[in-house]
Amino acid sequence: MEKKIILFLLILSISFNYFVSSSSSSSSSSSSSECHQKIFSVSEVNPYHINSLVVIEGIFCLNSTEGIKVSFSVPEEGSKISYGIDCDNSLTIDSIGETITCRLSDIYISSNPVNFTTLATVMVYTPIPVPTPTPSKNPTTKTVAIGPVPVLGTRNYIFTNSSCPIGCSKNGFCDVGNTCRCNQNQASFDCSVRVYNQTSLPSPIVESFNTFSMSSSNEQFNIVLSHIIANPAGSTSNISMVSQLSQYTVNGNSSSNYGLSFTLDGTTYTNGKPSAKPWLNQLEYDVNFNLAKEPSFGYENYKGAYLPISSSAATITLSPTININYLPSVYYTTNGGATYSMIFKISNQHDSMSGYSNDFSGTFNSITLSSGDSKNSLMVISLSDIYSFNQSIAPNHAYLSLLPKSGSTSYLISNYDSDSLYVSVNIPSIYSTNNQNPYTIQLSINVYDIDPSSHVKFPRWALGLTVGFSVLICIIIIFSIAKYIKSKRESYSNIDDHHHHHGHHGHY
């Protein structure tokens, strides 16, 4: 009887434990299934720098970093190879499980560039069991990977294709997008020019519906968007398509102290007659001025690219819509290759822009124009090489160029002015079967006063000649000193020999 009672109690205990365990498991599963893990945003990531900070915001259903692992998939441009980067250093999570921070414990090392348009995979592994969406032998997983995450297309994105030029001249720091973020009173794409703005320069001024001016202390520049050119790669200019924008109908133009904007209708000319080939269907043009009352050396983030904003700055947004039905078939083949170039004419108040030197960044997304005389004026044009096509990030890089004063492109510009500079904003075309294809790109133009005490630079050949001449002078001086010392030693040696000779005669 006693054995039966013990057996009954044992069975009762096992049954109780089973039901409690089952209830607990069910509760745990229900709890984990109620919390759906998501990633909302990922901060900019520079895979070339160890310990780069990464901030990931979302819902992670955790309050501890135990079991969390963060990694990034970095595809190489023009390749199917994907390079993994871990983010394990200084891993933290906030108390409500919505923000994970970490620092890169690995860096990207390869001779191939990184295409920022495809860096969209962020994997966050967490230890919470999550039920699988369909019945399986294993109803829960021990970890969950969140990704891919659409990082691009927002203000946050993962890095670009190369490092900053010459260490930002030790006058700033290298940030994402191949951008030097310059210290105060430094300018240019490599922070190499010291500028002098004790007081803020005049704000830009609207001169006409499509023209505005910018001023340094000694110079005034006029900027007008004059032409747009469509040119297929590798072709001769005789099949280039040129639109002189002054011929188009203007809709919805407005201007104020804050800037100007207008829309060009490419389907008709100003005389009301339809264009023979209205391949430029529409162009939206918007310019915003910086109205800083104090000296400004800031930056504006556009789709991940940093554009400098000074006391005298204009931020320009261009949105051309191309109708490929009116372009030769070479413009819209699957191989692409066409380029749409928007031409800015820049003139100055004094003489000619031909006296200004120009210096391009290595990725051609910035150009520095500096005066070569006492005007001490500097203009920096900075382009976001990230542009959109049909409201999505394009897989190519936009770039800047200067139209040569002679050659295959300058004659395409009607009323070409040799005293002006023509800066071209170039957008590589994207293949699409749509007839209407809108592009959007942004750039900034900044004007500064150059610090007269530091902007003088020797050409490399002059610097080399100076160094070589200095070395030659040093060699001549050293040789002369050595020759002088040698002659003195020989002189002293002759005197000693003479004394010794007379001494010997005295003994006889």
Side-chain angles (χ1 to χ4, degrees):
M1 182 66 182
E2 186 177 348
K3 290 183 177 181
K4 289 183 178 180
I5 293 173
I6 293 173
L7 181 62
F8 173 76
L9 291 175
L10 182 62
I11 293 173
L12 185 64
S13 175
I14 292 172
S15 299
F16 178 78
N17 289 334
Y18 173 78
F19 283 113
V20 169
S21 175
S22 175
S23 175
S24 175
S25 175
S26 174
S27 174
S28 174
S29 175
S30 173
S31 174
S32 62
S33 63
E34 289 174 1
C35 184
H36 301 285
Q37 300 186 93
K38 294 180 181 179
I39 293 180
F40 297 140
S41 67
V42 180
S43 66
E44 299 158 338
V45 180
N46 186 340
Y48 292 95
H49 288 265
I50 199 75
N51 279 329
S52 292
L53 178 65
V54 180
V55 179
I56 305 172
E57 295 181 350
I59 300 174
F60 303 105
C61 315
L62 296 166
N63 56 15
S64 170
T65 59
E66 184 177 355
I68 295 180
K69 180 178 175 59
V70 180
S71 65
F72 301 90
S73 176
V74 184
E76 293 181 346
E77 192 166 6
S79 170
K80 295 182 179 180
I81 299 174
S82 184
Y83 190 93
I85 293 180
D86 292 330
C87 192
D88 296 333
N89 293 347
S90 305
L91 186 67
T92 64
I93 188 168
D94 67 345
S95 58
I96 57 175
E98 293 185 353
T99 303
I100 292 176
T101 62
C102 59
R103 292 185 178 274
L104 294 187
S105 51
D106 193 11
I107 60 174
Y108 175 81
I109 302 175
S110 175
S111 58
N112 296 325
V114 171
N115 186 345
F116 52 76
T117 61
T118 57
L119 303 185
T121 306
V122 179
M123 310 295 281
V124 178
Y125 298 88
T126 66
I128 293 182
V130 177
T132 55
T134 56
S136 65
K137 294 181 180 179
N138 182 15
T140 61
T141 58
K142 293 182 179 180
T143 61
V144 59
I146 302 174
V149 177
V151 179
L152 296 171
T154 68
R155 64 184 179 85
N156 299 313
Y157 85 115
I158 300 179
F159 192 56
T160 62
N161 56 358
S162 63
S163 57
C164 288
I166 61 175
C168 301
S169 304
K170 297 183 180 180
N171 294 319
F173 67 94
C174 186
D175 213 323
V176 295
N178 191 35
T179 303
C180 281
R181 300 277 294 275
C182 300
N183 299 334
Q184 189 164 334
N185 295 319
Q186 298 294 146
S188 186
F189 55 84
D190 57 0
C191 307
S192 62
V193 182
R194 183 167 178 79
V195 291
Y196 182 74
N197 283 14
Q198 275 196 325
T199 59
S200 59
L201 294 174
S203 298
I205 299 173
V206 175
E207 300 292 343
S208 63
F209 85 93
N210 67 343
T211 305
F212 63 95
S213 64
M214 304 179 72
S215 298
S216 65
S217 295
N218 302 308
E219 184 67 282
Q220 177 178 313
F221 303 95
N222 288 332
I223 297 106
V224 58
L225 180 65
S226 62
H227 295 76
I228 181 169
I229 300 174
N231 195 17
S235 70
T236 57
S237 58
N238 60 356
I239 62 170
S240 297
M241 311 294 286
V242 183
S243 287
Q244 184 176 349
L245 300 182
S246 60
Q247 295 180 323
Y248 289 98
T249 302
V250 181
N251 296 323
N253 63 303
S254 64
S255 62
S256 68
N257 292 336
Y258 298 94
L260 63 92
S261 64
F262 61 81
T263 300
L264 296 181
D265 183 357
T267 60
T268 59
Y269 284 130
T270 52
N271 59 8
K273 295 181 180 179
S275 170
K277 293 182 177 180
W279 58 270
L280 177 60
N281 181 264
Q282 180 177 277
L283 176 65
E284 295 179 8
Y285 182 63
D286 186 75
V287 183
N288 289 313
F289 300 152
N290 182 31
L291 301 180
K293 296 181 180 180
E294 297 179 356
S296 174
F297 294 91
Y299 286 83
E300 183 178 87
N301 189 314
Y302 178 75
K303 297 185 183 300
Y306 282 104
L307 301 177
I309 302 295
S310 69
S311 302
S312 181
T315 302
I316 303 171
T317 304
L318 296 162
S319 299
T321 299
I322 308 299
N323 190 333
I324 61 175
N325 282 335
Y326 294 99
L327 289 172
S329 60
V330 69
Y331 282 86
Y332 50 88
T333 62
T334 54
N335 294 329
T339 301
Y340 304 117
S341 301
M342 285 154 287
I343 311 300
F344 286 89
K345 177 185 176 182
I346 301 176
S347 56
N348 62 342
Q349 188 178 26
H350 301 94
D351 304 326
S352 169
M353 289 296 295
S354 60
Y356 277 71
S357 62
N358 62 82
D359 193 11
F360 279 92
S361 65
T363 49
F364 292 93
N365 61 349
S366 182
I367 178 174
T368 298
L369 303 173
S370 56
S371 61
D373 50 28
S374 59
K375 290 192 284 290
N376 295 324
S377 300
L378 180 76
M379 174 181 284
V380 178
I381 304 173
S382 305
L383 175 71
S384 168
D385 59 352
I386 307 167
Y387 65 98
S388 63
F389 172 72
N390 285 330
Q391 299 182 343
S392 298
I393 296 294
N396 298 322
H397 301 267
Y399 61 96
L400 295 170
S401 61
L402 281 177
L403 263 63
K405 294 185 179 297
S406 61
S408 59
T409 53
S410 60
Y411 86 91
L412 296 172
I413 305 298
S414 57
N415 301 319
Y416 186 90
D417 180 10
S418 60
D419 289 331
S420 300
L421 284 179
Y422 291 85
V423 178
S424 177
V425 176
N426 306 294
I427 301 177
S429 66
I430 307 298
Y431 174 74
S432 173
T433 56
N434 297 330
N435 294 334
Q436 304 294 326
N437 297 291
Y439 296 80
T440 302
I441 194 166
Q442 193 172 99
L443 66 150
S444 70
I445 301 178
N446 291 265
V447 171
Y448 308 86
D449 286 341
I450 299 176
D451 187 342
S453 65
S454 62
H455 79 287
V456 178
K457 294 183 177 180
F458 285 102
R460 289 186 177 181
W461 64 265
L463 184 61
L465 186 62
T466 302
V467 172
F469 184 74
S470 300
V471 170
L472 180 62
I473 293 297
C474 288
I475 292 174
I476 292 173
I477 292 174
I478 292 172
F479 178 78
S480 300
I481 292 173
K483 187 176 180 181
Y484 174 77
I485 293 173
K486 182 180 179 181
S487 65
K488 283 294 184 180
R489 285 180 176 176
E490 289 177 350
S491 176
Y492 289 136
S493 176
N494 291 335
I495 292 173
D496 288 341
D497 289 344
H498 180 72
H499 284 300
H500 282 297
H501 178 72
H502 281 283
H504 286 301
H505 279 287
H507 287 290
Y508 289 101

